[in-house]
Amino acid sequence: MSEHDGGLVLADQPLRVRPCSVAAALDIVGERWALLVIREIGYGVHRFARIAGYTGASRDMLADRLRKLESAGIVERRQYSEHPPRFEYHLTEAGQELFPVLLALREWGDKWAVDQPAIQVRHDCGHLVKSVLTCQHCGAPVTRDTVTPERPATFRATGGPDRSPSGRALS
Amino acid sequence: MSEHDGGLVLADQPLRVRPCSVAAALDIVGERWALLVIREIGYGVHRFARIAGYTGASRDMLADRLRKLESAGIVERRQYSEHPPRFEYHLTEAGQELFPVLLALREWGDKWAVDQPAIQVRHDCGHLVKSVLTCQHCGAPVTRDTVTPERPATFRATGGPDRSPSGRALS
C-alpha cells in the first residue's frame, strides 16, 4: 500500500474516524478472550468447563463473552441435557468463517510471538501449513505490495449503522 | 478441524490453559486500538495527529498503544524534525507481516459486520480482492476442513516464556 503520508485512499477524505470493516470486525471479535473462545470451539471443545479450562478465562468472563458472541451471531448454543439444562457451544457460519483470521494470527504468532509453537497445523497434503493468501480471480499472491485500497464508487458516507451477523446493530 | 468434544489435539492434554501462538499473538496485538493503529500506518498514515484522527483514538490512548507497539517490535519511530522533535511511525517487518491478519479481518467484516464496505481493496490483477488461503506446499486451499492441529514432537511443555518480536518477554 502507499507509503506517503496521508495514504492513497485518503486523498479526498477529511480527518475523521474512518468507517472500516476492520474496525467493525474488531467491534465484534477484537478482544483477546473472544478470539480464544472461538479458537477453542474451532478445536472441537464445546462445553463451558472445558472452554474455560483451555482458555484460562474465568467463569464470569467466559459467560459474558459467550453471551456476546451468541448475540452477535458468532456462536450458537445447543442443549444437550434437559435435566439439568446443559448447553454446548458451536460456531455459526459467521464463526466458522473466522478461520482465516485465526490461522493468520497463529502463523504470525508462530513467527513473532513465541519461541516454539505449542501446536502445529497440518494440511491434508501432509505438510505443515504455511499459508499464502492468493487472489480468487488471478491466483497470484495477495500481499501488501500488490493491493491498493480505494473508496467504493457507491459508498454512501451516511450509510446505516454497522450490523452484526445476527442483524442487530452493534453498540 | 475435529468436532467431537475435546478435540483431536487434546487427547493427551490436561485441562489447563493451552499454550498457543494465537494467544501469544493476541497478547501483542489482540486489542482493538492496536490493530486499528497498525491498519492506519499500513495505509501510509505515519503522523500522530492523523493516526488519531482516522482511528478515533484519544491522544492518551494512541500514545500508550504506540509505546506498546514500539516496545513489542511492531512499530518503529523515525524522527523527521529536530526542532521541535517530531516523529513518524512506521511498521517494522513484524508489523508489515500482520497484513494477512488485517486482510482476513477486513474480508470477514465486509461480509458479516457492515452493510456496505467503506473501503475496498483492489489487487494488481485489476479485480477487487477476494482472497483464498492456499498451502505453500501443494497450492490447494487451506480451510477448516483440510487441516488438523497436532502437538509438535519436539514441544517442551516447560518451554521458556513467550517473547515479543523485540525479544523482550511479555507481561
Side-chain angles (χ1 to χ4, degrees):
Chain A
M1 296 192 190
S2 118
E3 275 295 335
H4 58 84
D5 204 62
L8 255 187
V9 75
L10 311 173
D12 63 341
Q13 187 171 357
L15 188 58
R16 60 176 173 75
V17 177
R18 198 193 288 284
C20 172
S21 300
V22 176
L26 292 171
D27 285 341
I28 304 178
V29 296
E31 196 276 328
R32 185 177 190 281
W33 294 111
L35 280 169
L36 293 185
V37 168
I38 293 162
R39 170 201 78 185
E40 214 45 55
I41 302 177
Y43 278 159
V45 177
H46 299 293
R47 299 195 178 172
F48 190 93
R50 295 179 69 87
I51 298 171
Y54 286 126
T55 58
S58 70
R59 296 184 65 87
D60 284 353
M61 173 80 85
L62 180 56
D64 176 72
R65 289 313 180 280
L66 283 168
R67 257 194 310 270
K68 285 184 180 154
L69 289 170
E70 191 184 353
S71 132
I74 312 284
V75 161
E76 64 188 11
R77 286 198 302 169
R78 296 183 196 161
Q79 189 159 7
Y80 68 90
S81 157
E82 285 196 26
H83 307 289
R86 299 259 186 232
F87 297 89
E88 285 189 338
Y89 298 87
H90 290 260
L91 297 178
T92 62
E93 186 187 351
Q96 290 172 22
E97 290 193 4
L98 284 163
F99 173 79
V101 173
L102 286 168
L103 186 65
L105 277 168
R106 172 184 305 287
E107 293 192 78
W108 188 86
D110 282 350
K111 177 164 180 185
W112 294 105
V114 300
D115 284 322
Q116 190 186 24
I119 288 177
Q120 59 196 19
V121 178
R122 194 171 293 280
H123 192 230
D124 277 359
C125 73
H127 286 91
L128 292 180
V129 167
K130 198 158 160 34
S131 73
V132 182
L133 279 172
T134 57
C135 171
Q136 193 181 52
H137 298 286
C138 72
V142 175
T143 62
R144 225 171 142 256
D145 300 328
T146 60
V147 299
T148 311
E150 63 184 34
R151 184 174 313 191
T154 57
F155 180 67
R156 294 163 292 125
T158 55
D162 291 346
R163 60 173 172 76
S164 71
S166 64
R168 278 168 245 187
L170 297 167
S171 60
Chain B
M1 297 193 189
S2 114
E3 275 294 335
H4 58 85
D5 204 63
L8 253 188
V9 74
L10 310 174
D12 64 341
Q13 188 172 356
L15 188 59
R16 60 175 174 74
V17 176
R18 197 192 291 282
C20 171
S21 298
V22 176
L26 291 172
D27 285 341
I28 305 177
V29 296
E31 196 274 327
R32 185 176 190 281
W33 294 111
L35 280 170
L36 293 184
V37 167
I38 293 162
R39 170 201 78 185
E40 213 45 54
I41 302 177
Y43 278 159
V45 178
H46 299 294
R47 299 194 178 173
F48 190 94
R50 294 180 69 86
I51 298 172
Y54 286 127
T55 58
S58 70
R59 296 184 66 86
D60 284 353
M61 173 80 86
L62 179 57
D64 176 72
R65 291 312 181 280
L66 283 169
R67 258 194 310 272
K68 286 185 179 155
L69 289 171
E70 190 184 355
S71 132
I74 312 284
V75 160
E76 65 189 11
R77 285 199 302 170
R78 296 182 196 162
Q79 189 158 8
Y80 68 91
S81 158
E82 284 196 28
H83 307 290
R86 300 259 186 231
F87 296 89
E88 284 187 339
Y89 297 88
H90 291 260
L91 297 179
T92 63
E93 187 187 351
Q96 289 172 25
E97 290 193 2
L98 284 165
F99 173 78
V101 174
L102 287 168
L103 186 65
L105 278 169
R106 172 185 305 287
E107 293 192 79
W108 189 86
D110 281 351
K111 178 164 179 183
W112 294 105
V114 299
D115 283 321
Q116 190 186 27
I119 288 176
Q120 59 196 19
V121 178
R122 194 171 293 280
H123 192 231
D124 277 1
C125 73
H127 286 90
L128 292 180
V129 168
K130 197 159 161 37
S131 74
V132 181
L133 280 172
T134 58
C135 172
Q136 191 181 56
H137 298 286
C138 72
V142 175
T143 61
R144 223 171 146 256
D145 300 326
T146 61
V147 300
T148 312
E150 63 184 32
R151 186 176 310 193
T154 58
F155 179 68
R156 295 163 291 123
T158 55
D162 291 348
R163 62 174 170 73
S164 73
S166 64
R168 276 170 246 184
L170 298 167
S171 59

